[in-house]
Amino acid sequence: MELRGKLVRYVYNDTEYLGMLKNENYIMPIDSCHDMNELIIHFEKFKDYKSNLSIPLDSVELLAPIKSPLQDIICLGINYIEHAEESMRFKNEKFDGTRTEAIYFSKRVNECNKPNGEIFISSKTMQLDYEVELAVIIGKDCSDVLAPYAMEYVFGYSIANDISARDLQAKHKQWYVGKSLDGAFPFGPYIVLRDEICPHNLSIKSYVNNELRQESNTSQLIFDIPHVISELSSYFTLKAGSIISMGTPSGVGMGFVPPKFLCDGDVVTCEIEGIGTLKTFIKS
């Protein structure tokens, strides 16, 4: 059987496995590989496999599909116009309504936070925020790729919550530290393989305690996936397994007046059409 649809990483009977989701309710284990980075890099080796098992989805614990990224996450800043407006407003700066160049930054993620996982509010911040984002996983090394061919280098897509400490961003005058707290990259619940969905026309939403906060569509990305892959690969080689987080729509906590930052007991739910739902519990 050929690997298709949605890939998962999960715990069953105290053991970690990779698998393919079947009919949204069952998992078919991938016995020949137990590391998603290895599966991505050597996909041709594993894409055809045989399994006689079928495990009910509700009998497993889902993990982040990639445990530890091979490199820092590549992120796009203010890649939706309305989020650019609210970001400038929070910093008391003016926004002229145009973006001519993409903003890139990196996020240190030692280990991705799992679906239904917890993040503990660090004593270093009082302004913890949420950001639902489309995550793009690169499938093979690419360098100097032209935009019309860029999608051939995509492995698949997932959901990311780019948890951010706004006060640390302001303190250090850049985003790296404020984006990189332990647990601050909830990721999953699945990787949807490249040809299963159109990534440039997907509903994208986030909720805090069932209150709709963010609602947009990936068609509103200022810089789309082909542009980003082409531009980045013109500067350096994008390695297989790299994760690119494509930016967040408006509606983040800092965008409200007054701001609505995350507190103990909050539940953040991120949704992207065709991929699934990613829930995170906030603890103090």
Side-chain angles (χ1 to χ4, degrees):
M1 178 177 290
E2 182 178 1
L3 289 179
R4 53 186 173 80
K6 298 177 179 179
L7 302 183
V8 297
R9 178 172 155 261
Y10 63 96
V11 172
Y12 182 69
N13 289 338
D14 298 321
T15 303
E16 289 187 14
Y17 298 94
L18 301 183
M20 182 180 78
L21 197 63
K22 180 182 179 182
N23 299 327
E24 298 295 324
N25 294 313
Y26 293 90
I27 295 173
M28 298 184 67
I30 303 171
D31 298 325
S32 55
C33 185
H34 294 267
D35 180 82
M36 190 66 78
N37 284 317
E38 181 183 0
L39 180 71
I40 293 168
I41 294 169
H42 302 290
F43 187 66
E44 291 300 315
K45 173 182 175 181
F46 296 111
K47 71 175 184 179
D48 295 314
Y49 80 107
K50 295 180 180 179
S51 176
N52 296 319
L53 294 178
S54 187
I55 302 170
L57 180 60
D58 59 10
S59 69
V60 311
E61 177 189 9
L62 289 179
L63 304 174
I66 295 174
K67 180 179 181 179
S68 297
L70 297 177
Q71 299 173 315
D72 282 358
I73 308 297
I74 301 171
C75 302
L76 275 88
I78 49 179
N79 199 26
Y80 291 77
I81 287 292
E82 290 181 354
H83 177 54
E85 293 171 348
E86 69 181 359
S87 178
M88 295 299 102
R89 184 171 63 247
F90 180 73
K91 294 184 287 186
N92 294 316
E93 298 177 4
K94 292 184 178 181
F95 176 57
D96 64 7
T98 61
R99 288 285 313 285
T100 57
E101 298 292 343
I103 297 174
Y104 301 109
F105 62 95
S106 61
K107 180 182 179 90
R108 171 59 54 91
V109 179
N110 294 320
E111 186 170 322
C112 297
N113 204 337
K114 64 186 178 181
N116 300 308
E118 298 176 342
I119 180 170
F120 288 85
I121 301 175
S122 168
S123 61
K124 300 292 186 180
T125 181
M126 297 183 66
Q127 296 184 349
L128 200 67
D129 211 345
Y130 53 89
E131 296 188 1
V132 59
E133 305 201 3
L134 175 67
V136 179
I137 299 96
I138 299 298
K140 53 185 177 179
D141 293 0
C142 55
S143 179
D144 287 318
V145 175
L146 298 177
Y149 305 102
M151 297 303 288
E152 298 175 10
Y153 292 84
V154 172
F155 180 78
Y157 311 97
S158 194
I159 304 171
N161 186 350
D162 181 19
I163 299 287
S164 308
R166 303 301 184 190
D167 42 3
L168 296 184
Q169 291 178 226
K171 175 182 178 180
H172 293 284
K173 309 301 180 185
Q174 47 74 46
W175 295 340
Y176 190 71
V177 170
K179 296 281 187 176
S180 300
L181 298 177
D182 287 339
F185 194 70
F187 180 62
Y190 318 112
I191 292 177
V192 179
L193 293 176
R194 179 188 66 203
D195 296 331
E196 301 294 325
I197 56 175
C198 172
H200 292 113
N201 186 25
L202 302 174
S203 171
I204 180 170
K205 300 177 182 179
S206 76
Y207 300 80
V208 177
N209 305 328
N210 296 318
E211 176 192 353
L212 180 63
R213 294 285 183 88
Q214 295 178 275
E215 183 176 19
S216 188
N217 190 286
T218 56
S219 63
Q220 300 303 304
L221 287 167
I222 301 171
F223 300 100
D224 64 13
I225 296 168
H227 174 93
V228 168
I229 291 175
S230 178
E231 183 165 67
L232 290 175
S233 71
S234 74
Y235 300 136
F236 52 84
T237 299
L238 283 172
K239 302 292 288 183
S242 296
I243 301 172
I244 303 174
S245 202
M246 291 295 297
T248 199
S250 62
V252 298
M254 72 174 181
F256 290 88
V257 181
K260 295 182 178 181
F261 294 119
L262 295 171
C263 302
D264 179 50
D266 284 345
V267 181
V268 183
T269 304
C270 298
E271 295 180 355
I272 298 182
E273 180 185 1
I275 301 178
T277 299
L278 177 68
K279 186 172 291 186
T280 305
F281 296 85
I282 310 302
K283 303 289 184 181
S284 61

